[in-house]
Amino acid sequence: MTRPVGTKEELEARRRRAVAMLELGHSPYEIAEIEEVTPWSVYRWKKMYEDEGKDGLSSKPHPGPTTILPKERFPELAELLQQGPQAHGFKTDRWTLDRIRVVIEQEFDVSVSTATVWRYMRRLNWSCQKPQRRARERDEAAVEEWLNETVPEIEKKRG
């Protein structure tokens, strides 16, 4: 069986037809085949009709968080991210997809997956970058001297 697709009105009409066929004596299995749904859907519609009448067959909105950040809000998201993670209560100054997801949920009341956050970051032209690890004791002047003086001497001796 395929899942019914259509407008709200088409889905409600399908439910009403199913109930009418039940009242004419058709079996839920016959109706399911005609309407291209599962027999369990027909049983569920029958119960909805018995409990609430015709109003029970109407489509009802499903409560839950929004799962899409409107395009108009992307500039606002970019501004929030420019403030850095520490401005949003994180201990380190490094963004992760999960941290960005938390900010989106807190600031926009939108629940998204980390994969969706990745797509949002690409739309904002943000790239994934990993900070280079460097020793705390690193002496940049000594490294520069070694590269400019010692390495050329080693290469002269080899060649």
Side-chain angles (χ1 to χ4, degrees):
M1 297 289 151
T2 59
R3 184 173 185 169
V5 178
T7 65
K8 176 181 168 181
E9 292 79 19
E10 291 169 340
L11 295 173
E12 288 176 21
R14 174 177 286 163
R15 293 179 190 130
R16 284 182 170 67
R17 280 193 309 268
V19 168
M21 285 188 273
L22 280 169
E23 289 177 343
L24 291 173
H26 293 279
S27 79
Y29 291 91
E30 290 176 293
I31 298 167
E33 191 172 320
I34 292 167
E35 293 296 335
E36 297 181 348
V37 296
T38 66
W40 299 114
S41 292
V42 178
Y43 283 114
R44 189 169 32 93
W45 297 341
K46 178 183 177 197
K47 176 146 177 49
M48 291 163 50
Y49 180 72
E50 289 169 351
D51 292 348
E52 303 174 44
K54 287 187 178 182
D55 290 339
L57 300 175
S58 298
S59 294
K60 295 166 187 68
H62 294 281
T66 305
T67 58
I68 298 173
L69 183 66
K71 291 179 185 178
E72 304 82 48
R73 307 287 309 264
F74 275 58
E76 190 178 342
L77 173 60
E79 287 177 26
L80 289 170
L81 297 178
Q82 290 292 340
Q83 295 170 0
Q86 291 176 329
H88 297 280
F90 298 105
K91 290 183 179 180
T92 62
D93 200 29
R94 183 173 172 189
W95 281 119
T96 64
L97 292 176
D98 198 47
R99 286 180 174 187
I100 296 169
R101 182 186 56 76
V102 168
V103 169
I104 291 171
E105 286 179 2
Q106 290 174 346
E107 299 293 329
F108 301 101
D109 196 29
V110 174
S111 179
V112 294
S113 68
T114 51
T116 300
V117 172
W118 174 258
R119 287 191 293 276
Y120 288 173
M121 294 301 94
R122 290 185 59 191
R123 284 187 198 163
L124 290 172
N125 292 321
W126 280 47
S127 62
C128 178
Q129 297 179 5
K130 192 171 184 179
Q132 291 181 345
R133 291 180 177 245
R134 293 192 176 192
R136 289 183 186 157
E137 308 84 23
R138 182 177 170 125
D139 181 356
E140 291 297 330
V143 171
E144 192 68 30
E145 180 182 330
W146 187 81
L147 288 171
N148 292 332
E149 296 175 16
T150 308
V151 170
E153 287 297 319
I154 294 170
E155 289 175 348
K156 281 183 190 175
K157 291 179 183 177
R158 283 184 59 201

